[in-house]
Amino acid sequence: MTHPLGNPPSKIIALHLNYPSRAKERGRIPAHPSYFLKPPSSLAGSKEALVRPEGCELLGFEGEIALVIGSRAQRVRPEDGWQYVRWVTAANDAGVYDLRYADRGSNLRSKGGDGFTPIGPRLLDARQLDPAALRLRTWVNGGLVQDDTTDTLLFPFGELIADLSRQVTLEPGDVILTGTPAGASVVAPGDVVEVEVSGNGLSTGRLRNPVAAGPALEPYGAMPKADPAEREAAYGTAYTPEPLLDKRVEEGLRSVAVATLSAQLRARGLPHMSIDGVRPTLPDRTMVGVAHTLRYLPLREDLFKRYGNGMNAQKRAIEELQPGHVLVMDARRDTSAGTLGDILALRAQMRGAAGVVTDGGLRDSAAVTELGLPVYHGGEHPSVLGRRHVPWDTGVPIACGGALVQPGDLIVGDTDGVVVVPPELAEELIADCREQELRERFITEQVRAGHSVDGLYPLGPDWREPFEQWRHSQAPSQASQGEPA
C-alpha cells in the first residue's frame, strides 16, 4: 500500500500490553512497556486481504490505535510526547501464532508477514484529539468483539513517545501500534475484521480486511505448528481446550478402586506404579487426571538466587496447567519444607487442575483443604520451599514417591493412595478391574454367608459356576460392570 504520508515509515513499533482488560486476560501487569518491531513491508490498507498461509490455523487479529509520528523525536519528555504525533488511525496488528515459537521475542515471522499491519482508512489530526479520550472498537463478521477506551491505559501515549525516544530516534512517518484491549482472538478464511478509532466527534471509519487462504510456506525454515499453549494464547477468552482425557476413560477410572488398579498393574508386571508416602486432603474424593510434572532439586543457595526467584519453574508449572491436569511434583520425598501453599493451589484450581500430588510437604494445609482441590502430599510443614528445594524444570519425567511419572501418564487417587496408569493400558485395565471387583463382591457375599475363603478367595474352580449364576442374577446395571469399558 501507499503509506499515509507518501513514503514508507522507517519503522513500525508495536507494544505488547497496554490495556488493563488485556493484561487481565494475560494474567500479568507489566511494570514497564515492552515492544517489538514490524517491518514496513507488513503495511496494508483497508479492503486488502489478510492472508493465512496454508498449514496455519491461528491467524490472530488485534484491533489497535496507530500513532503516526509527525516530527523527529529524540529524548522527549512524557508531557511533551503527544506533540510529536501528527496522525491517529486504526490498525490491525495481525499475526500467525503458529510461527511464534520460531522467533519468540522478535515476532518477525509470526507478526511481520506481508499485509499483517493494515492501517486506515482515514487519518485523524492528532491536534484535534484528546489522547486520553479515544475509543477503539473491533468487529468480526459484524459482531462487536473489542470495545475499550484510552482513559485507563497502563502507559499513556506521551509516555510511550518519551520512553522510546530515550534511545530510538522516531522519524516522521514512523508508526507506533499502542496495544490491543481484551477480545482479540482468531479468524479464518471467509471472516471479515473491522477496526475503528473515534474521539471528539471524529472517526477513522472502519478499517475493513477480509481473511483469505494463501499458499503453503516453502519448506526452507521453521514450519507452522500449534500446541495447546499457543491456541490458548491466540484465542484468549474464546479458547475452549480439547479435553486432555476422554470422558469415557475418565469415568471408567473413577468407577474402580485404586487398590484394584494396583493389583491389575502388578498382574501385568508393573508392581512399582504407586506413589508411596502421600495422603489426601480430601479422603472422600476420587482424583483422575493427566500428569503434568515439576521437579525440585536439593537447595543450593547460589542457584536458588537464579532459579528460585521470579517466574520460577514452580510458578511456570502452575501457569502451564490445563483443565484435567494433575500436577505431580518430585520433591525427593523431603517433607521438611512446603512445595505447595494455598495461593498456588488456588491458581491451579482456577486453571482447571484435577488435583496435585507431591511427595514433599504441604503448607497452609487447612486453607488448601477448604479449596476442595484434591491434593496428595507427604505431610504438612510450615516452611517455604526455599528451605530445602530449588524449583528446577517442568514437563519432564520425574520420580514421585518412588514411581516414575511421565508427562501424559494418567494419575488416579482415592483414600488408599495414588497410582500411575500408562495411557495405553487404561481401557483394558478398566475392564479387568470391573471384572475383579464384581468377583470380589460375590466373594464378599459368600464370606458373609459363612463360607470359608479356602478355594473361594481367589475364586477357585468349584466356585466358577456359582459365580456365573450369581452374575446373571444381578440387575443389568450391576452385571454390566463386568463388561469392557
Side-chain angles (χ1 to χ4, degrees):
M1 70 168 273
T2 302
H3 184 259
L5 296 183
N7 297 304
S10 68
K11 50 191 166 291
I12 302 170
I13 301 171
L15 183 66
H16 283 112
L17 282 174
N18 201 10
Y19 287 82
S21 61
R22 180 67 162 176
K24 183 177 180 181
E25 279 187 341
R26 291 302 199 214
R28 62 187 177 91
I29 298 177
H32 308 286
S34 62
Y35 313 91
F36 60 95
L37 291 171
K38 300 189 75 169
S41 55
S42 69
L43 282 171
S46 190
K47 300 181 181 180
E48 295 189 55
L50 289 170
V51 178
R52 189 185 77 177
E54 182 182 337
C56 291
E57 63 171 278
L58 302 176
L59 175 61
F61 68 87
E62 296 181 6
E64 305 207 7
I65 296 172
L67 310 181
V68 182
I69 298 298
S71 56
R72 201 168 202 243
Q74 286 181 302
R75 293 180 291 279
V76 171
R77 295 179 303 178
E79 60 269 27
D80 298 328
W82 186 247
Q83 299 176 22
Y84 291 83
V85 179
R86 181 69 184 89
W87 306 106
V88 173
T89 193
N92 186 347
D93 180 16
V96 281
Y97 282 77
D98 314 69
L99 289 171
R100 197 163 69 146
Y101 78 96
D103 297 304
R104 190 168 296 279
S106 77
N107 290 332
L108 178 60
R109 281 173 283 194
S110 60
K111 289 272 195 171
D114 290 352
F116 278 5
T117 315
I119 66 173
R122 290 194 289 274
L123 302 172
L124 304 182
D125 189 335
R127 294 168 295 184
Q128 300 179 38
L129 300 172
D130 177 354
L134 301 179
R135 183 182 185 186
L136 170 66
R137 289 182 292 176
T138 306
W139 297 263
V140 174
N141 301 329
L144 185 66
V145 294
Q146 292 183 291
D147 189 355
D148 216 328
T149 55
T150 57
D151 55 331
T152 60
L153 292 179
L154 300 175
F155 310 109
F157 296 149
E159 183 177 329
L160 297 179
I161 304 298
D163 180 36
L164 289 165
S165 69
R166 291 185 304 164
Q167 292 179 287
V168 178
T169 299
L170 301 175
E171 301 287 357
D174 284 352
V175 175
I176 300 174
L177 305 180
T178 57
T180 195
S185 191
V186 173
V187 285
D191 291 335
V192 176
V193 184
E194 298 173 289
V195 185
E196 179 187 36
V197 175
S198 58
N200 196 27
L202 304 174
S203 170
T204 61
R206 292 194 186 187
L207 170 68
R208 188 177 191 275
N209 297 100
V211 181
L217 300 175
E218 297 292 341
Y220 304 141
M223 298 303 290
K225 67 177 184 179
D227 58 26
E230 291 295 0
R231 290 189 181 96
E232 182 176 4
Y235 279 96
T237 55
Y239 178 63
T240 303
E242 291 292 323
L244 292 174
L245 183 58
D246 182 273
K247 194 68 176 175
R248 187 169 58 95
V249 173
E250 179 187 347
E251 291 173 353
L253 291 172
R254 287 189 186 280
S255 73
V256 298
V258 162
T260 312
L261 282 167
S262 181
Q264 287 295 329
L265 286 164
R266 184 174 180 275
R268 288 166 171 76
L270 296 171
H272 307 297
M273 305 302 282
S274 62
I275 296 179
D276 296 337
V278 298
R279 57 181 185 264
T281 56
L282 302 168
D284 59 338
R285 291 275 296 276
T286 298
M287 177 186 70
V288 178
V290 178
H292 181 57
T293 59
L294 166 62
R295 182 167 65 128
Y296 295 105
L297 293 182
L299 177 65
R300 233 181 78 176
E301 287 80 359
D302 59 324
L303 292 177
F304 191 88
K305 293 177 182 178
R306 184 189 312 170
Y307 291 98
N309 295 316
M311 195 65 180
N312 59 32
Q314 180 196 40
K315 295 176 183 175
R316 290 200 308 275
I318 295 291
E319 293 299 331
E320 290 165 357
L321 292 174
Q322 298 175 45
H325 265 146
V326 172
L327 178 58
V328 186
M329 300 180 178
D330 172 7
R332 312 172 314 285
R333 303 193 191 187
D334 186 342
T335 61
S336 62
T339 55
L340 181 75
D342 59 342
I343 292 176
L344 292 186
L346 173 61
R347 182 58 180 160
Q349 185 179 52
M350 297 300 293
R351 295 283 301 168
V356 178
V357 181
T358 175
D359 60 3
L362 174 66
R363 295 180 72 229
D364 311 312
S365 59
V368 171
T369 301
E370 288 179 3
L371 288 175
L373 175 72
V375 176
Y376 290 76
H377 60 96
E380 296 83 1
H381 202 283
S383 174
V384 295
L385 66 89
R387 180 174 182 266
R388 297 291 295 171
H389 307 293
V390 182
W392 199 257
D393 51 8
T394 72
V396 295
I398 61 170
C400 182
L404 193 161
V405 182
Q406 295 192 99
D409 281 340
L410 306 184
I411 307 296
V412 186
D414 64 15
T415 190
D416 281 344
V418 181
V419 292
V420 182
V421 174
E424 64 277 11
L425 296 181
E427 295 204 44
E428 66 178 73
L429 280 168
I430 292 166
D432 289 350
C433 283
R434 285 175 171 170
E435 175 67 16
Q436 177 181 330
E437 291 183 353
L438 191 67
R439 292 187 178 204
E440 290 177 354
R441 196 158 65 252
F442 167 77
I443 293 169
T444 299
E445 287 190 14
Q446 305 314 308
V447 171
R448 283 202 180 107
H451 293 285
S452 168
V453 294
D454 184 21
L456 172 63
Y457 181 56
L459 199 67
D462 293 342
W463 283 98
R464 296 286 171 83
E465 185 175 343
F467 168 67
E468 292 299 331
Q469 292 173 352
W470 175 88
R471 182 207 295 270
H472 291 299
S473 72
Q474 301 303 296
S477 61
Q478 293 177 317
S480 66
Q481 293 187 43
E483 298 172 2

